[in-house]
Amino acid sequence: MKKQFGGNYLIFGIIIGVLLGGLVGSFFPETGVTLGFLGTLFLNALKMIVLPLIIVSITLSIMKVGNLGSLGVKTLIYYLLTTCIAVFIGILVVNIIHPGVGSVVLSGEMPDIVKAKESMSLFDVLLLKFISPNLFNSAEEFEILPLIIASILFGAAFAALGRESKLIEDIFTILDKAIMKIIHWIMIFTPLGIFGLIAERIGVSGGGTAVLELAMELGKYVLSVVAGLAIHGLVVLPIILFLFAKRSPLKYAKHLSKALLTAFSTASSSATLPLTMEGVIDEAKVNPKVGRFVLPLGATINMDGTALYEAVAVIFIAQSYGIDLSIAQMVIVFFTATLAAIGAAGIPEAGLVTMVLVLQAVGLPLEGVGLILAIDWLLDRFRTTVNVWGDCIGAAVIERFEDGDSKTQ
Ligand code: ASP
């Protein structure tokens, strides 16, 4: 078996980066903010490679996969089912803990990012985003879904050309290898980058005590989101991995540890994608044909953590306003949270914005978002980690269904 890139050194480095970042941000917030440039450099390097990575890997995978229909359908079914399970867990947990009942924080103000999205509809979020009239604009805005769709179309067209497209397949294969090399070089800086990201974020919030106070203020809400995510990420998804992909969840998580810690530090599934692909394909040895398609798509549309969080947040807001949601309204929350998570981009706090759709669907005041805004950056990290973990498990499960005799690790 190929060794993990950077062996255990890199993982230790990252853990030290997380701890030191936490300490510096907590006790020397200003130094944390000053050192934030290390995180910015790392994040920029990841973002730089993400777009070429997506275009090359999706096109290549579609050229090589014989039956896109079968892979596509299995991927969508897996993503939809696991997202629904996540929302269901969220609804259950928030109805057991009742974090908003008797809540004293009723000073919700509509945040600016929400104001701009008041007129957003599901149609805009899901359908209109599919096809872009200008792929360069999409790339500039980091809108990944239209790029994925365009890459699928090009991949399918090259495949339809048959032998004529041999040259392009060879070029894309070489590009794919070169991109992986660059990802390995970027990964060497993961410990420093993660250190910078964490130190800066805690520093910006005024240090460890301030973050703790903030988390305590909304303690039961934070607990509901984190408990729901823990049930989904630590129990449900590992069981799915074990049962359907016949892999050990612990070993698999070890292969993915760099990606998961990066997801936590960046709060962006898309920026984490290079490490997710490296972990799933290079280290956990999932069939590249499957991983190259399933993972970029997952980073964009499969967001179990976001879906769960949106359900908890919306019901928390209703409880805080003393509004009792009926069973029918809960069902609406279930469906709209699933769709809103699919529509959320893999960037920080995207879930907070698409939550507007869920609030509108059940007639709750959009000002409610103001209640949870201050703590969102922290919860974003937890849900992004679950989002990425869900994608990784999806790749392993779908590989099994695509090719029943792949090896077990
Ligand atoms: N930050 C999340 C992600 O990138 C999306 C969200 O805001 O929930 O996966």
Side-chain angles (χ1 to χ4, degrees), residues 51 54 172 205 220 243 282 304 316 336 370 381:
L51 295 182
I54 289 175
F172 271 58
S205 301
K220 274 171 116 186
L243 287 184
D282 274 21
D304 296 5
F316 166 75
T336 46
R381 281 141 209 273

mmCIF file of all heavy atoms in Angstrom, residues 51 54 172 205 220 243 282 304 316 336 370 381:
data_model
loop_
_atom_site.group_PDB
_atom_site.id
_atom_site.type_symbol
_atom_site.label_atom_id
_atom_site.label_comp_id
_atom_site.label_asym_id
_atom_site.label_seq_id
_atom_site.Cartn_x
_atom_site.Cartn_y
_atom_site.Cartn_z
ATOM 1 N N LEU A 51 -9.857 25.200 -9.107
ATOM 2 C CA LEU A 51 -10.575 25.250 -10.384
ATOM 3 C C LEU A 51 -9.946 24.331 -11.440
ATOM 4 O O LEU A 51 -10.658 23.518 -12.048
ATOM 5 C CB LEU A 51 -10.700 26.694 -10.886
ATOM 6 C CG LEU A 51 -11.557 27.598 -9.988
ATOM 7 C CD1 LEU A 51 -11.663 28.989 -10.581
ATOM 8 C CD2 LEU A 51 -12.940 27.025 -9.759
ATOM 9 N N ILE A 54 -10.880 20.758 -10.525
ATOM 10 C CA ILE A 54 -12.253 20.338 -10.817
ATOM 11 C C ILE A 54 -12.435 20.085 -12.317
ATOM 12 O O ILE A 54 -12.969 19.059 -12.728
ATOM 13 C CB ILE A 54 -13.249 21.418 -10.333
ATOM 14 C CG1 ILE A 54 -13.273 21.400 -8.811
ATOM 15 C CG2 ILE A 54 -14.643 21.179 -10.894
ATOM 16 C CD1 ILE A 54 -14.106 22.479 -8.206
ATOM 17 N N PHE A 172 -4.981 15.523 -20.546
ATOM 18 C CA PHE A 172 -5.672 15.654 -19.257
ATOM 19 C C PHE A 172 -5.092 14.703 -18.206
ATOM 20 O O PHE A 172 -5.034 15.026 -17.034
ATOM 21 C CB PHE A 172 -7.192 15.438 -19.430
ATOM 22 C CG PHE A 172 -7.913 16.722 -19.740
ATOM 23 C CD1 PHE A 172 -7.578 17.480 -20.852
ATOM 24 C CD2 PHE A 172 -8.922 17.191 -18.916
ATOM 25 C CE1 PHE A 172 -8.225 18.682 -21.141
ATOM 26 C CE2 PHE A 172 -9.581 18.388 -19.195
ATOM 27 C CZ PHE A 172 -9.231 19.130 -20.310
ATOM 28 N N SER A 205 -11.973 37.242 17.061
ATOM 29 C CA SER A 205 -13.118 37.198 17.982
ATOM 30 C C SER A 205 -12.751 37.692 19.374
ATOM 31 O O SER A 205 -13.565 37.606 20.286
ATOM 32 C CB SER A 205 -13.658 35.783 18.094
ATOM 33 O OG SER A 205 -14.036 35.336 16.844
ATOM 34 N N LYS A 220 -27.208 26.087 24.533
ATOM 35 C CA LYS A 220 -28.055 24.950 24.166
ATOM 36 C C LYS A 220 -28.190 24.826 22.649
ATOM 37 O O LYS A 220 -28.325 23.727 22.113
ATOM 38 C CB LYS A 220 -29.455 25.116 24.788
ATOM 39 C CG LYS A 220 -29.522 24.572 26.219
ATOM 40 C CD LYS A 220 -30.822 24.955 26.842
ATOM 41 C CE LYS A 220 -31.698 23.785 27.187
ATOM 42 N NZ LYS A 220 -33.016 24.244 27.667
ATOM 43 N N LEU A 243 -20.945 -0.699 6.545
ATOM 44 C CA LEU A 243 -21.912 -1.644 5.966
ATOM 45 C C LEU A 243 -21.823 -1.711 4.451
ATOM 46 O O LEU A 243 -21.816 -2.777 3.861
ATOM 47 C CB LEU A 243 -23.342 -1.241 6.353
ATOM 48 C CG LEU A 243 -23.760 -1.477 7.794
ATOM 49 C CD1 LEU A 243 -25.226 -1.104 7.977
ATOM 50 C CD2 LEU A 243 -23.544 -2.943 8.175
ATOM 51 N N ASP A 282 -5.481 9.044 -3.384
ATOM 52 C CA ASP A 282 -4.082 8.626 -3.228
ATOM 53 C C ASP A 282 -3.876 7.760 -1.990
ATOM 54 O O ASP A 282 -3.113 6.818 -2.016
ATOM 55 C CB ASP A 282 -3.178 9.858 -3.075
ATOM 56 C CG ASP A 282 -2.756 10.409 -4.415
ATOM 57 O OD1 ASP A 282 -3.442 10.107 -5.386
ATOM 58 O OD2 ASP A 282 -1.745 11.131 -4.464
ATOM 59 N N ASP A 304 -24.270 17.409 4.162
ATOM 60 C CA ASP A 304 -25.054 16.838 5.270
ATOM 61 C C ASP A 304 -25.034 17.765 6.483
ATOM 62 O O ASP A 304 -26.054 18.000 7.125
ATOM 63 C CB ASP A 304 -24.453 15.491 5.704
ATOM 64 C CG ASP A 304 -24.522 14.445 4.607
ATOM 65 O OD1 ASP A 304 -24.953 14.791 3.493
ATOM 66 O OD2 ASP A 304 -24.150 13.301 4.873
ATOM 67 N N PHE A 316 -34.738 26.451 15.978
ATOM 68 C CA PHE A 316 -34.289 27.244 17.136
ATOM 69 C C PHE A 316 -34.852 28.662 17.056
ATOM 70 O O PHE A 316 -35.347 29.215 18.039
ATOM 71 C CB PHE A 316 -32.755 27.281 17.177
ATOM 72 C CG PHE A 316 -32.192 28.324 18.106
ATOM 73 C CD1 PHE A 316 -32.210 28.131 19.480
ATOM 74 C CD2 PHE A 316 -31.651 29.516 17.608
ATOM 75 C CE1 PHE A 316 -31.704 29.108 20.350
ATOM 76 C CE2 PHE A 316 -31.148 30.488 18.459
ATOM 77 C CZ PHE A 316 -31.165 30.278 19.839
ATOM 78 N N THR A 336 -37.191 21.814 2.637
ATOM 79 C CA THR A 336 -36.472 23.024 2.194
ATOM 80 C C THR A 336 -35.033 23.045 2.716
ATOM 81 O O THR A 336 -34.133 23.528 2.032
ATOM 82 C CB THR A 336 -37.207 24.315 2.607
ATOM 83 O OG1 THR A 336 -37.600 24.190 3.970
ATOM 84 C CG2 THR A 336 -38.409 24.583 1.750
ATOM 85 N N GLY A 370 -30.238 36.994 12.737
ATOM 86 C CA GLY A 370 -29.408 37.819 13.617
ATOM 87 C C GLY A 370 -29.119 37.138 14.955
ATOM 88 O O GLY A 370 -28.091 37.399 15.578
ATOM 89 N N ARG A 381 -17.497 25.646 10.994
ATOM 90 C CA ARG A 381 -16.347 24.737 10.928
ATOM 91 C C ARG A 381 -16.762 23.294 11.189
ATOM 92 O O ARG A 381 -16.312 22.365 10.520
ATOM 93 C CB ARG A 381 -15.290 25.170 11.938
ATOM 94 C CG ARG A 381 -14.515 26.335 11.379
ATOM 95 C CD ARG A 381 -14.158 27.389 12.359
ATOM 96 N NE ARG A 381 -14.089 28.639 11.623
ATOM 97 C CZ ARG A 381 -12.993 29.072 11.000
ATOM 98 N NH1 ARG A 381 -11.881 28.387 11.076
ATOM 99 N NH2 ARG A 381 -13.007 30.191 10.317
#
